[in-house]
Amino acid sequence: MGRLFAIEVVYRGIFQKTLAKNIARGIVLAAHAEGKPGISFGRYGDSPERNGIPAKGFAIVGTDDITLEEGMAKYEPKEVDITISVDDTLCKGVESWAWYGLQPINRLLKPGGTLIVTSMSPPKELISMAHAKDVPYNLVILKGTPSFSGLWVYKDDHTDVRILGAIAQILPELFSLKAVEQVIRDEWKSDVKVASAQKAASRVSPITVKPGQGNPEVPYKFELPKWHEMRDGVSIPCIAPGKQIEDPVTHVMGGYQPNRNPTFKKFTTRTMRPVVNFSTCIKCTLCWLQCPDSCFDVTPDGLYDANMEACCGCGVCEAVCPVEKCVTMVNETEFTDNNSQWVAWRQDSTGYLKWLDTKIEHRPDLAKRSHGFRYLGQYQEQVPEMLEIAQQGD
Ligand code: SF4
Ligand code: SF4
C-alpha cells in the first residue's frame, strides 16, 4: 500500500480562481517530476462561482497508480496533509452554497497537518480567527497580501510559486525544491519565479497550534433534509415577512429587518466589510437601494445598518454613498464579531465614533473604492509592491 497525499487550496471564487488552479496544477506537476502520479480538480464541476464565495481546489497525489485511484474514488478528500488559504480572512471559516453551514478552515487537516496562509497578520491573530481543533496542527504564514484578480486578468505576483516552494519545505516526501524549480522553469520559464520559490522555502517557519487553541465558537450548522423528507416537485416557500427592530435605548419598535435565508448567511464571502458613520449619514437611502444582497436593516430612527450576517462585502454601498467617509470598507481581519454597528452607536455614540476612526485610519485613499479591478494596468502596478513584501525579511 502506497501513500496518498491530499492538499486543498481554499480561495475566493473568481478573484483567485487562476491562482488556485496554478497552485493545484503546480503541485501535481512537481510530484510528477519525481515519479508520483496525481490529479488536480476544483470543488465544482458545474456550479458557477460568485465573487468572493469561498471555493476549493484539490491536488491528490499517490506514490503509485493504485493508491491514487483509491484516493480518487472519493468525491472529495476527507482529510488533507496541507490546507492552503490564499486569503487570510478565510481563516474565519468557509461556507459554500449552503451545503453544510460554516466549515472551519482547518476542518480537513490531519493531526499534525499544516495550514499555509498568505497574510501580513501575526500568527496570534490568525490562530484566534481559526476555529479550535482537538488535535494539533501547524501554521505557516507566507508573508504577503491576498492576491486578487479578475476573471480575465491574472495578477502574477509569484504567490503561486512561493506556495510551491513552501510545500517543498513542509512536505518533502511529496516533492523536493528541485522538482519545484524544474516545474517553474518548464511552465513559467522564469528564473525570477524560481528565486521567489527558493526564498519562500527558506523562510518557512511552522508554528504548532495546540489542541483547543483558537476560536472557541461552535460553527453554525444544520441538517440537510433526507430524500424522503423532500416535497414533491419543485416548490420554493415564499419569504416570510420581516420584523421591526427595537431601539436599544428608547425601546421603541420601528424600522424594518427583512427576513433572510437562515442557512446561507454569506458573511464568509467577505474579505472587507462596510463600517458606517451614522452621525454623518444623510438618510439618502442609496446604500439600502443599491445593496445587491438587501443587507441593510432600516433602523427605527431611519438609518441604514449593514447586517453583518448577510453582507458579502461587495463594496457597492461604499461606492454609492454620497457622503465622504460615511461608508468605508475595512479589511475583515479587523473584526471579531458580526454585531450590529447601529446598536453599538446607539449605546455609546462617542465610543463608536472613536472605534470607527481607528478602523478607517489605515485606508490609504478614501476617494477611491477600496477593492476591485478599476482600470487596465492596475495589477501590473501592484505587482512590484507585492514582490517587495515577499522579499522583505520576517
Ligand atoms: S458591502 Fe455593502 S452593498 Fe455590498 S453586500 Fe455588504 S452591505 Fe451590501
Ligand atoms: S448611502 Fe450613505 S448617506 Fe445614504 S443612507 Fe446610506 S450610509 Fe446614509
Side-chain angles (χ1 to χ4, degrees):
M1 174 71 188
R3 178 167 173 190
L4 192 76
F5 301 90
I7 297 184
E8 62 172 349
V9 187
V10 189
Y11 67 98
R12 295 217 176 266
I14 304 291
F15 301 135
Q16 298 183 310
K17 189 182 174 74
T18 307
L19 174 65
K21 182 205 74 185
N22 283 359
I23 295 167
R25 186 164 182 270
I27 291 168
V28 172
L29 290 174
H32 195 244
E34 295 193 333
K36 300 184 190 79
I39 186 164
S40 67
F41 58 96
R43 146 78 62 71
Y44 302 118
D46 56 358
S47 299
E49 292 179 13
R50 287 180 61 196
N51 283 354
I53 289 278
K56 289 188 178 190
F58 293 95
I60 312 294
V61 172
T63 45
D64 56 85
D65 287 336
I66 300 288
T67 307
L68 177 64
E69 268 181 43
E70 195 185 326
M72 286 307 303
K74 296 167 197 150
Y75 169 61
E76 209 175 276
K78 295 275 180 285
E79 56 174 20
V80 297
D81 299 274
I82 294 177
T83 294
I84 300 159
S85 169
V86 277
D87 176 6
D88 51 6
T89 59
L90 289 163
C91 287
K92 292 189 172 188
V94 298
E95 183 197 16
S96 309
W97 302 105
W99 281 359
Y100 36 46
L102 185 70
Q103 199 179 60
I105 186 71
N106 49 25
R107 179 170 171 259
L108 296 188
L109 269 185
K110 289 177 182 171
T114 302
L115 171 63
I116 302 177
V117 186
T118 50
S119 181
M120 296 298 285
S121 296
K124 203 170 139 217
E125 267 179 34
L126 298 178
I127 292 169
S128 65
M129 272 195 264
H131 291 84
K133 253 176 112 66
D134 54 10
V135 294
Y137 69 96
N138 298 308
L139 171 69
V140 166
I141 300 174
L142 208 66
K143 202 170 172 184
T145 52
S147 179
F148 279 10
S149 50
L151 187 58
W152 310 114
V153 282
Y154 180 55
K155 187 167 160 187
D156 192 4
D157 57 11
H158 298 198
T159 300
D160 42 17
V161 294
R162 293 177 68 221
I163 285 175
L164 296 179
I167 295 173
Q169 189 67 24
I170 293 162
L171 197 57
E173 310 92 292
L174 176 59
F175 51 66
S176 66
L177 187 57
K178 284 238 158 325
V180 172
E181 292 167 9
Q182 183 189 323
V183 167
I184 297 171
R185 288 204 177 89
D186 292 347
E187 285 289 306
W188 284 281
K189 305 186 184 352
S190 163
D191 287 336
V192 187
K193 290 193 89 156
V194 170
S196 287
Q198 289 167 335
K199 193 153 274 177
S202 70
R203 295 231 173 99
V204 165
S205 166
I207 295 151
T208 301
V209 184
K210 298 192 192 92
Q213 216 182 338
N215 181 359
E217 168 198 73
V218 178
Y220 75 89
K221 60 179 178 190
F222 50 87
E223 287 295 317
L224 287 173
K226 310 281 179 304
W227 67 267
H228 53 84
E229 294 166 349
M230 291 184 188
R231 289 168 296 173
D232 290 340
V234 176
S235 62
I236 299 171
C238 65
I239 298 173
K243 59 176 195 268
Q244 290 193 319
I245 296 169
E246 182 181 348
D247 186 308
V249 179
T250 62
H251 302 292
V252 167
M253 297 297 290
Y256 186 72
Q257 182 177 58
N259 208 0
R260 300 190 172 98
N261 187 336
T263 52
F264 186 27
K265 296 179 189 289
K266 292 184 295 186
F267 60 83
T268 64
T269 301
R270 205 165 59 213
T271 198
M272 298 184 99
R273 71 165 66 177
V275 285
V276 180
N277 186 338
F278 299 101
S279 67
T280 58
C281 170
I282 57 170
K283 305 183 179 178
C284 72
T285 76
L286 281 175
C287 55
W288 174 72
L289 277 172
Q290 296 294 328
C291 172
D293 283 70
S294 303
C295 294
F296 281 89
D297 294 339
V298 186
T299 68
D301 48 357
L303 291 162
Y304 296 89
D305 185 24
N307 187 294
M308 287 299 123
E309 292 242 309
C311 167
C312 60
C314 69
V316 165
C317 49
E318 181 195 57
V320 298
C321 181
V323 181
E324 193 184 353
K325 297 191 202 176
C326 182
V327 180
T328 310
M329 298 301 289
V330 176
N331 195 285
E332 187 57 29
T333 53
E334 295 270 332
F335 306 93
T336 54
D337 61 48
N338 286 328
N339 296 344
S340 162
Q341 294 173 11
W342 174 75
V343 167
W345 181 74
R346 283 295 289 141
Q347 287 169 335
D348 173 13
S349 59
T350 313
Y352 178 81
L353 291 176
K354 273 198 199 132
W355 173 87
L356 183 134
D357 277 346
T358 63
K359 292 296 173 203
I360 67 176
E361 68 183 349
H362 298 303
R363 270 291 308 281
D365 185 353
L366 287 168
K368 288 180 188 163
R369 273 193 59 183
S370 45
H371 60 324
F373 178 61
R374 296 192 302 276
Y375 54 88
L376 207 60
Q378 184 187 0
Y379 294 155
Q380 284 87 337
E381 281 173 23
Q382 290 173 350
V383 167
E385 191 188 323
M386 173 63 211
L387 289 180
E388 199 181 316
I389 293 171
Q391 300 299 316
Q392 284 163 11
D394 294 319

Tab-separated table of all heavy atoms in Angstrom, residues 263-291:
chain	number	residue	atom	x	y	z
A	263	THR	N	-29.942	29.620	6.372
A	263	THR	CA	-28.909	28.602	6.194
A	263	THR	C	-27.793	29.042	5.251
A	263	THR	O	-26.879	28.288	4.982
A	263	THR	CB	-29.534	27.295	5.656
A	263	THR	OG1	-30.305	27.604	4.498
A	263	THR	CG2	-30.406	26.638	6.691
A	264	PHE	N	-27.887	30.245	4.740
A	264	PHE	CA	-26.796	30.761	3.905
A	264	PHE	C	-26.572	32.205	4.301
A	264	PHE	O	-27.167	33.115	3.769
A	264	PHE	CB	-27.171	30.640	2.422
A	264	PHE	CG	-26.049	31.018	1.480
A	264	PHE	CD1	-24.727	30.896	1.853
A	264	PHE	CD2	-26.322	31.489	0.209
A	264	PHE	CE1	-23.702	31.233	0.988
A	264	PHE	CE2	-25.308	31.835	-0.672
A	264	PHE	CZ	-23.990	31.708	-0.273
A	265	LYS	N	-25.676	32.373	5.254
A	265	LYS	CA	-25.513	33.700	5.844
A	265	LYS	C	-24.572	34.596	5.038
A	265	LYS	O	-24.569	35.798	5.182
A	265	LYS	CB	-25.018	33.566	7.277
A	265	LYS	CG	-26.048	32.867	8.149
A	265	LYS	CD	-25.537	32.725	9.566
A	265	LYS	CE	-26.437	31.853	10.402
A	265	LYS	NZ	-27.711	32.471	10.717
A	266	LYS	N	-23.695	34.005	4.234
A	266	LYS	CA	-22.873	34.727	3.254
A	266	LYS	C	-21.691	35.518	3.808
A	266	LYS	O	-20.934	36.068	3.039
A	266	LYS	CB	-23.743	35.683	2.420
A	266	LYS	CG	-24.707	34.984	1.502
A	266	LYS	CD	-25.450	35.966	0.647
A	266	LYS	CE	-26.324	36.841	1.479
A	266	LYS	NZ	-27.182	37.727	0.773
A	267	PHE	N	-21.570	35.643	5.131
A	267	PHE	CA	-20.522	36.549	5.593
A	267	PHE	C	-19.115	36.027	5.336
A	267	PHE	O	-18.174	36.808	5.317
A	267	PHE	CB	-20.720	36.938	7.066
A	267	PHE	CG	-20.711	35.798	8.046
A	267	PHE	CD1	-19.535	35.285	8.530
A	267	PHE	CD2	-21.908	35.260	8.511
A	267	PHE	CE1	-19.530	34.257	9.449
A	267	PHE	CE2	-21.918	34.223	9.424
A	267	PHE	CZ	-20.730	33.712	9.901
A	268	THR	N	-18.971	34.728	5.098
A	268	THR	CA	-17.618	34.254	4.804
A	268	THR	C	-17.204	34.600	3.376
A	268	THR	O	-16.068	34.356	2.982
A	268	THR	CB	-17.488	32.731	5.007
A	268	THR	OG1	-18.332	32.059	4.073
A	268	THR	CG2	-17.844	32.314	6.404
A	269	THR	N	-18.121	35.164	2.616
A	269	THR	CA	-17.800	35.634	1.272
A	269	THR	C	-16.970	36.913	1.332
A	269	THR	O	-16.355	37.321	0.375
A	269	THR	CB	-19.133	35.928	0.538
A	269	THR	OG1	-19.873	34.730	0.518
A	269	THR	CG2	-18.952	36.428	-0.847
A	270	ARG	N	-16.957	37.511	2.497
A	270	ARG	CA	-16.447	38.867	2.660
A	270	ARG	C	-14.961	38.897	2.973
A	270	ARG	O	-14.498	38.187	3.847
A	270	ARG	CB	-17.197	39.437	3.859
A	270	ARG	CG	-17.325	40.874	3.942
A	270	ARG	CD	-18.390	41.260	4.946
A	270	ARG	NE	-18.170	40.779	6.294
A	270	ARG	CZ	-19.136	40.435	7.125
A	270	ARG	NH1	-20.387	40.497	6.767
A	270	ARG	NH2	-18.857	40.021	8.342
A	271	THR	N	-14.231	39.737	2.260
A	271	THR	CA	-12.838	39.983	2.647
A	271	THR	C	-12.715	41.387	3.224
A	271	THR	O	-11.736	41.716	3.879
A	271	THR	CB	-11.904	39.746	1.441
A	271	THR	OG1	-10.581	39.581	1.897
A	271	THR	CG2	-11.935	40.860	0.436
A	272	MET	N	-13.737	42.226	2.972
A	272	MET	CA	-13.826	43.544	3.605
A	272	MET	C	-15.276	43.756	4.012
A	272	MET	O	-16.174	43.154	3.438
A	272	MET	CB	-13.411	44.642	2.628
A	272	MET	CG	-11.978	44.519	2.165
A	272	MET	SD	-11.500	45.902	1.116
A	272	MET	CE	-10.653	46.923	2.285
A	273	ARG	N	-15.496	44.604	5.001
A	273	ARG	CA	-16.871	44.927	5.391
A	273	ARG	C	-17.049	46.444	5.472
A	273	ARG	O	-16.090	47.171	5.738
A	273	ARG	CB	-17.223	44.289	6.724
A	273	ARG	CG	-16.529	44.916	7.906
A	273	ARG	CD	-17.161	44.520	9.235
A	273	ARG	NE	-17.020	43.113	9.537
A	273	ARG	CZ	-17.448	42.561	10.676
A	273	ARG	NH1	-18.047	43.307	11.578
A	273	ARG	NH2	-17.281	41.278	10.918
A	274	PRO	N	-18.283	46.897	5.265
A	274	PRO	CA	-18.510	48.336	5.403
A	274	PRO	C	-18.635	48.727	6.869
A	274	PRO	O	-19.258	48.000	7.650
A	274	PRO	CB	-19.846	48.532	4.673
A	274	PRO	CG	-20.535	47.211	4.764
A	274	PRO	CD	-19.485	46.160	4.863
A	275	VAL	N	-18.037	49.869	7.242
A	275	VAL	CA	-18.346	50.454	8.551
A	275	VAL	C	-19.011	51.800	8.272
A	275	VAL	O	-18.609	52.536	7.383
A	275	VAL	CB	-17.108	50.608	9.461
A	275	VAL	CG1	-16.662	49.284	10.022
A	275	VAL	CG2	-15.966	51.273	8.755
A	276	VAL	N	-20.052	52.071	9.043
A	276	VAL	CA	-20.919	53.224	8.738
A	276	VAL	C	-20.784	54.286	9.828
A	276	VAL	O	-20.829	53.979	11.018
A	276	VAL	CB	-22.394	52.759	8.627
A	276	VAL	CG1	-23.306	53.944	8.319
A	276	VAL	CG2	-22.541	51.678	7.557
A	277	ASN	N	-20.635	55.526	9.367
A	277	ASN	CA	-20.663	56.650	10.299
A	277	ASN	C	-22.106	57.169	10.353
A	277	ASN	O	-22.537	57.933	9.489
A	277	ASN	CB	-19.707	57.747	9.831
A	277	ASN	CG	-19.603	58.855	10.853
A	277	ASN	OD1	-20.493	59.021	11.678
A	277	ASN	ND2	-18.513	59.608	10.804
A	278	PHE	N	-22.846	56.738	11.388
A	278	PHE	CA	-24.267	57.097	11.469
A	278	PHE	C	-24.467	58.577	11.760
A	278	PHE	O	-25.532	59.125	11.482
A	278	PHE	CB	-24.957	56.244	12.550
A	278	PHE	CG	-24.888	54.768	12.246
A	278	PHE	CD1	-23.961	53.947	12.869
A	278	PHE	CD2	-25.753	54.207	11.310
A	278	PHE	CE1	-23.885	52.602	12.587
A	278	PHE	CE2	-25.683	52.847	11.019
A	278	PHE	CZ	-24.740	52.040	11.654
A	279	SER	N	-23.419	59.245	12.286
A	279	SER	CA	-23.601	60.659	12.626
A	279	SER	C	-23.520	61.559	11.400
A	279	SER	O	-23.944	62.708	11.452
A	279	SER	CB	-22.583	61.097	13.680
A	279	SER	OG	-21.296	61.061	13.119
A	280	THR	N	-22.947	61.065	10.292
A	280	THR	CA	-22.890	61.907	9.082
A	280	THR	C	-23.855	61.416	7.999
A	280	THR	O	-23.992	62.060	6.963
A	280	THR	CB	-21.457	61.937	8.500
A	280	THR	OG1	-21.056	60.596	8.198
A	280	THR	CG2	-20.471	62.588	9.451
A	281	CYS	N	-24.514	60.288	8.246
A	281	CYS	CA	-25.462	59.736	7.258
A	281	CYS	C	-26.603	60.736	7.011
A	281	CYS	O	-27.172	61.279	7.962
A	281	CYS	CB	-26.016	58.423	7.801
A	281	CYS	SG	-27.398	57.778	6.832
A	282	ILE	N	-26.912	60.972	5.762
A	282	ILE	CA	-27.995	61.913	5.437
A	282	ILE	C	-29.297	61.166	5.072
A	282	ILE	O	-30.226	61.759	4.540
A	282	ILE	CB	-27.581	62.863	4.288
A	282	ILE	CG1	-27.163	62.058	3.035
A	282	ILE	CG2	-26.472	63.819	4.729
A	282	ILE	CD1	-26.974	62.898	1.793
A	283	LYS	N	-29.324	59.880	5.329
A	283	LYS	CA	-30.526	59.061	5.107
A	283	LYS	C	-31.025	59.120	3.663
A	283	LYS	O	-32.223	59.189	3.402
A	283	LYS	CB	-31.643	59.472	6.075
A	283	LYS	CG	-31.222	59.416	7.542
A	283	LYS	CD	-32.362	59.758	8.481
A	283	LYS	CE	-31.918	59.680	9.929
A	283	LYS	NZ	-32.952	60.034	10.877
A	284	CYS	N	-30.070	59.130	2.741
A	284	CYS	CA	-30.446	59.258	1.330
A	284	CYS	C	-31.013	57.965	0.752
A	284	CYS	O	-31.559	57.956	-0.332
A	284	CYS	CB	-29.236	59.702	0.513
A	284	CYS	SG	-28.005	58.401	0.331
A	285	THR	N	-30.832	56.842	1.438
A	285	THR	CA	-31.334	55.501	1.069
A	285	THR	C	-30.528	54.796	-0.030
A	285	THR	O	-30.843	53.671	-0.398
A	285	THR	CB	-32.837	55.483	0.618
A	285	THR	OG1	-32.933	56.010	-0.711
A	285	THR	CG2	-33.737	56.254	1.551
A	286	LEU	N	-29.496	55.448	-0.546
A	286	LEU	CA	-28.797	54.841	-1.693
A	286	LEU	C	-28.171	53.486	-1.354
A	286	LEU	O	-28.238	52.544	-2.142
A	286	LEU	CB	-27.721	55.796	-2.226
A	286	LEU	CG	-28.235	56.927	-3.118
A	286	LEU	CD1	-27.110	57.872	-3.487
A	286	LEU	CD2	-28.877	56.367	-4.379
A	287	CYS	N	-27.550	53.385	-0.193
A	287	CYS	CA	-26.915	52.108	0.173
A	287	CYS	C	-27.974	51.009	0.244
A	287	CYS	O	-27.779	49.892	-0.251
A	287	CYS	CB	-26.158	52.237	1.493
A	287	CYS	SG	-27.184	52.837	2.841
A	288	TRP	N	-29.108	51.331	0.861
A	288	TRP	CA	-30.208	50.363	1.031
A	288	TRP	C	-30.762	49.925	-0.329
A	288	TRP	O	-31.015	48.749	-0.566
A	288	TRP	CB	-31.287	51.042	1.884
A	288	TRP	CG	-32.549	50.291	2.057
A	288	TRP	CD1	-32.744	49.177	2.803
A	288	TRP	CD2	-33.812	50.624	1.489
A	288	TRP	NE1	-34.059	48.788	2.739
A	288	TRP	CE2	-34.739	49.672	1.934
A	288	TRP	CE3	-34.263	51.651	0.658
A	288	TRP	CZ2	-36.080	49.695	1.569
A	288	TRP	CZ3	-35.594	51.679	0.300
A	288	TRP	CH2	-36.485	50.711	0.744
A	289	LEU	N	-30.896	50.905	-1.223
A	289	LEU	CA	-31.434	50.595	-2.546
A	289	LEU	C	-30.463	49.769	-3.388
A	289	LEU	O	-30.852	48.878	-4.132
A	289	LEU	CB	-31.713	51.897	-3.323
A	289	LEU	CG	-33.024	52.618	-3.047
A	289	LEU	CD1	-33.017	53.968	-3.756
A	289	LEU	CD2	-34.188	51.776	-3.557
A	290	GLN	N	-29.192	50.112	-3.294
A	290	GLN	CA	-28.210	49.543	-4.217
A	290	GLN	C	-27.558	48.252	-3.732
A	290	GLN	O	-26.946	47.544	-4.524
A	290	GLN	CB	-27.096	50.568	-4.500
A	290	GLN	CG	-27.572	51.828	-5.205
A	290	GLN	CD	-28.071	51.545	-6.618
A	290	GLN	OE1	-27.590	50.648	-7.284
A	290	GLN	NE2	-29.047	52.296	-7.065
A	291	CYS	N	-27.659	47.968	-2.454
A	291	CYS	CA	-27.004	46.743	-1.958
A	291	CYS	C	-27.567	45.532	-2.711
A	291	CYS	O	-28.773	45.259	-2.654
A	291	CYS	CB	-27.244	46.579	-0.465
A	291	CYS	SG	-26.658	44.975	0.122
